[in-house]
Amino acid sequence: MHEDFDRCVRAVRSKDARFDGWFFTAVRTTRIYCRPSCPGMPPKAENMAFFPSAAAAQQAGYRACKRCRPDASPGSPQWNERADLAARAMRLIADGVVDRAGVPGLAARLGYSVRQVERQLLAEFGAGPLALARAQRAQTARLLIETTALPMSEVAAAAGFGSIRTFNDTVREVFALPPTELRLRAGRQVSSPGVISLRLPFREPLCPDNLFGHLAATAVPGVEEWRDGAYRRTLRLPHGTGIVTLRPTADHIACQLALTDLRDLARAISRCRRLLDLDADPVAVDDLLAADPVLAPYVRKDPGRRVPRTVDGAEMAIRAVLGQQVSTAAARTHAARLVLDHGDPVHDPAGGLTHLFPTPTTLADLDPERLALPHARRDTLLALVHALTSGAIDLGVGADRDLARARLAALPGFGPWTVETIAMRALGDPDAFLPGDLGVRAAARALGLPFSPAGLTAHAAAWRPWRAYAVQYLWATGDHPVNHLPA
């Protein structure tokens, strides 16, 4: 979109927040870059330049606006919607792969050469993988500077900078302030030791009912809970563990993170955004779905429904198998037993969380006789665990969705419902569809739509590429707890 100059100018002049994250506006006279909805006076059109990413604007010598904080805007919805090389690379960079394994590690995860990855990202986002990772480190540094009392040397290490000098130079270059002054301006609003409080932005509207309702209704005891109007869960992260508390508000998601290692901050934020589908473009989704006269009343009633996703693809796949042909309550019970027997314990002084969900590697040694499951489902679970442990199936943020689908479908006991559930919630495919789901079929029947899987799939062709969101609206016609924000 950044190449459509006239459209970008119109978005900036109207201060349209829907375009935040789609592109960034740079002002040639001030050398500042902003989000489209910046509250400041719009510059003259001849002084505007547009970039596809904050990293591209920074690389061109522009610094972040202090009023609209463009580095903290929602990510482009294309990064999650698309399944091509560039989008997969952006998801992996957000998950910290470049910081942990460098550009060669990123290329290896994608199955391409370093040169191909760099060329593709430069063409698509105006910046290479190192510049994109650097922009993320700068944002992480700002969060730590403004929300903690950590010494700057520890902030630099936690944000992923190799030296305090590089940290100081980057903060000055991106924010036009030294780190100490950036902290003074923020007022050092530290909530409590060891806890980082921040706001997760999203594109409006957002309907929290099904999003938090689904997470709360399917919560695995010990790993997840709904407490005091917030969803809480444990996180397994590259350098340690974490506990996140997510609370919906009118214009943002209030997020509190307790991490054992602050180097995991950027990864934790990225996974929380993915869990809540916060980078979606609800206007584009709802405009298309509302064109169907059957869905239109439900879209108008509760616009902005999101797809509840996951913080860990392997965890979601295992839970999908445990949930085959049983109720939500039974699926929670099976998962809770697995967690109690094989999950790693955690300490949660603020609530009732007790464990991390077990990894496939841990579950590879489990005794199938201890599973209170039918024999066929035990075989399905063990086949999935083996495929995940061996690397035959990748369900991470940068996974190839088509390849993952094909390999899942080849496993014993994996039918369309299980494959598409994993595609929707673990792989983040916005077009995943569940025509055989009992709740979807019941909704279709009640609404006068075709309710056979084949008939509903044919009707749903008009909902592409947003069929996963159509599923949320279909589910919402029922009275299941997943549709309601808990008290």
Side-chain angles (χ1 to χ4, degrees), residues 1 3-13 45 50:
M1 180 179 171
E3 296 177 348
D4 189 336
F5 187 86
D6 292 338
R7 189 181 180 195
C8 290
V9 169
R10 288 196 299 272
V12 171
R13 286 178 173 168
F50 302 107

mmCIF file of all heavy atoms in Angstrom, residues 1 3-13 45 50:
data_model
loop_
_atom_site.group_PDB
_atom_site.id
_atom_site.type_symbol
_atom_site.label_atom_id
_atom_site.label_comp_id
_atom_site.label_asym_id
_atom_site.label_seq_id
_atom_site.Cartn_x
_atom_site.Cartn_y
_atom_site.Cartn_z
ATOM 1 N N MET A 1 0.822 -1.203 0.000
ATOM 2 C CA MET A 1 0.000 0.000 0.000
ATOM 3 C C MET A 1 0.861 1.260 0.000
ATOM 4 O O MET A 1 0.449 2.296 -0.514
ATOM 5 C CB MET A 1 -0.923 -0.003 1.217
ATOM 6 C CG MET A 1 -1.803 1.241 1.273
ATOM 7 S SD MET A 1 -2.907 1.253 2.675
ATOM 8 C CE MET A 1 -3.516 2.929 2.529
ATOM 9 N N GLU A 3 3.070 2.241 -1.722
ATOM 10 C CA GLU A 3 3.390 2.747 -3.060
ATOM 11 C C GLU A 3 2.230 3.527 -3.683
ATOM 12 O O GLU A 3 2.404 4.158 -4.721
ATOM 13 C CB GLU A 3 3.797 1.586 -3.963
ATOM 14 C CG GLU A 3 5.079 0.896 -3.499
ATOM 15 C CD GLU A 3 5.440 -0.295 -4.365
ATOM 16 O OE1 GLU A 3 4.580 -0.717 -5.165
ATOM 17 O OE2 GLU A 3 6.577 -0.791 -4.245
ATOM 18 N N ASP A 4 1.041 3.463 -3.071
ATOM 19 C CA ASP A 4 -0.114 4.222 -3.557
ATOM 20 C C ASP A 4 -0.108 5.576 -2.852
ATOM 21 O O ASP A 4 -0.734 5.769 -1.806
ATOM 22 C CB ASP A 4 -1.402 3.450 -3.263
ATOM 23 C CG ASP A 4 -2.629 4.060 -3.934
ATOM 24 O OD1 ASP A 4 -2.595 5.265 -4.231
ATOM 25 O OD2 ASP A 4 -3.608 3.328 -4.150
ATOM 26 N N PHE A 5 0.606 6.542 -3.431
ATOM 27 C CA PHE A 5 0.860 7.817 -2.770
ATOM 28 C C PHE A 5 -0.438 8.543 -2.414
ATOM 29 O O PHE A 5 -0.618 9.003 -1.278
ATOM 30 C CB PHE A 5 1.728 8.708 -3.667
ATOM 31 C CG PHE A 5 2.185 9.985 -3.019
ATOM 32 C CD1 PHE A 5 3.335 10.011 -2.245
ATOM 33 C CD2 PHE A 5 1.448 11.160 -3.148
ATOM 34 C CE1 PHE A 5 3.750 11.187 -1.630
ATOM 35 C CE2 PHE A 5 1.853 12.332 -2.538
ATOM 36 C CZ PHE A 5 3.014 12.343 -1.785
ATOM 37 N N ASP A 6 -1.362 8.664 -3.368
ATOM 38 C CA ASP A 6 -2.585 9.432 -3.120
ATOM 39 C C ASP A 6 -3.427 8.799 -2.021
ATOM 40 O O ASP A 6 -4.003 9.500 -1.176
ATOM 41 C CB ASP A 6 -3.406 9.535 -4.410
ATOM 42 C CG ASP A 6 -2.713 10.408 -5.454
ATOM 43 O OD1 ASP A 6 -1.873 11.232 -5.056
ATOM 44 O OD2 ASP A 6 -3.013 10.263 -6.653
ATOM 45 N N ARG A 7 -3.520 7.483 -2.011
ATOM 46 C CA ARG A 7 -4.303 6.794 -0.977
ATOM 47 C C ARG A 7 -3.682 7.006 0.395
ATOM 48 O O ARG A 7 -4.383 7.222 1.388
ATOM 49 C CB ARG A 7 -4.403 5.318 -1.303
ATOM 50 C CG ARG A 7 -5.377 4.552 -0.413
ATOM 51 C CD ARG A 7 -5.408 3.082 -0.769
ATOM 52 N NE ARG A 7 -6.322 2.323 0.065
ATOM 53 C CZ ARG A 7 -6.319 1.005 0.156
ATOM 54 N NH1 ARG A 7 -5.455 0.282 -0.543
ATOM 55 N NH2 ARG A 7 -7.177 0.375 0.948
ATOM 56 N N CYS A 8 -2.361 6.943 0.469
ATOM 57 C CA CYS A 8 -1.668 7.171 1.744
ATOM 58 C C CYS A 8 -1.896 8.594 2.243
ATOM 59 O O CYS A 8 -2.128 8.810 3.440
ATOM 60 C CB CYS A 8 -0.175 6.887 1.592
ATOM 61 S SG CYS A 8 0.254 5.145 1.381
ATOM 62 N N VAL A 9 -1.834 9.565 1.338
ATOM 63 C CA VAL A 9 -2.055 10.960 1.724
ATOM 64 C C VAL A 9 -3.461 11.130 2.296
ATOM 65 O O VAL A 9 -3.657 11.788 3.328
ATOM 66 C CB VAL A 9 -1.834 11.904 0.525
ATOM 67 C CG1 VAL A 9 -2.323 13.315 0.856
ATOM 68 C CG2 VAL A 9 -0.360 11.952 0.148
ATOM 69 N N ARG A 10 -4.456 10.508 1.659
ATOM 70 C CA ARG A 10 -5.834 10.615 2.159
ATOM 71 C C ARG A 10 -5.951 9.995 3.554
ATOM 72 O O ARG A 10 -6.634 10.535 4.433
ATOM 73 C CB ARG A 10 -6.797 9.928 1.192
ATOM 74 C CG ARG A 10 -6.998 10.678 -0.116
ATOM 75 C CD ARG A 10 -8.234 10.154 -0.849
ATOM 76 N NE ARG A 10 -8.130 8.745 -1.188
ATOM 77 C CZ ARG A 10 -7.578 8.274 -2.307
ATOM 78 N NH1 ARG A 10 -7.064 9.119 -3.200
ATOM 79 N NH2 ARG A 10 -7.535 6.979 -2.555
ATOM 80 N N ALA A 11 -5.285 8.871 3.770
ATOM 81 C CA ALA A 11 -5.340 8.219 5.077
ATOM 82 C C ALA A 11 -4.700 9.086 6.152
ATOM 83 O O ALA A 11 -5.208 9.183 7.284
ATOM 84 C CB ALA A 11 -4.644 6.861 5.014
ATOM 85 N N VAL A 12 -3.592 9.745 5.818
ATOM 86 C CA VAL A 12 -2.902 10.613 6.788
ATOM 87 C C VAL A 12 -3.760 11.831 7.109
ATOM 88 O O VAL A 12 -3.893 12.226 8.284
ATOM 89 C CB VAL A 12 -1.531 11.037 6.240
ATOM 90 C CG1 VAL A 12 -0.902 12.111 7.115
ATOM 91 C CG2 VAL A 12 -0.598 9.833 6.142
ATOM 92 N N ARG A 13 -4.350 12.435 6.088
ATOM 93 C CA ARG A 13 -5.156 13.636 6.324
ATOM 94 C C ARG A 13 -6.422 13.342 7.124
ATOM 95 O O ARG A 13 -6.911 14.211 7.850
ATOM 96 C CB ARG A 13 -5.494 14.281 4.985
ATOM 97 C CG ARG A 13 -4.282 14.986 4.358
ATOM 98 C CD ARG A 13 -4.592 15.577 3.006
ATOM 99 N NE ARG A 13 -3.464 16.378 2.520
ATOM 100 C CZ ARG A 13 -3.358 16.827 1.273
ATOM 101 N NH1 ARG A 13 -4.304 16.550 0.382
ATOM 102 N NH2 ARG A 13 -2.306 17.547 0.917
ATOM 103 N N ALA A 45 1.690 17.469 1.360
ATOM 104 C CA ALA A 45 1.859 16.229 0.608
ATOM 105 C C ALA A 45 3.248 16.129 -0.001
ATOM 106 O O ALA A 45 3.843 15.045 -0.028
ATOM 107 C CB ALA A 45 0.790 16.128 -0.475
ATOM 108 N N PHE A 50 6.561 7.593 2.141
ATOM 109 C CA PHE A 50 5.892 6.472 2.789
ATOM 110 C C PHE A 50 6.765 5.223 2.743
ATOM 111 O O PHE A 50 7.439 4.944 1.748
ATOM 112 C CB PHE A 50 4.541 6.209 2.118
ATOM 113 C CG PHE A 50 3.628 7.402 2.157
ATOM 114 C CD1 PHE A 50 3.376 8.137 1.011
ATOM 115 C CD2 PHE A 50 3.060 7.816 3.353
ATOM 116 C CE1 PHE A 50 2.556 9.250 1.044
ATOM 117 C CE2 PHE A 50 2.237 8.938 3.398
ATOM 118 C CZ PHE A 50 1.987 9.658 2.241
#
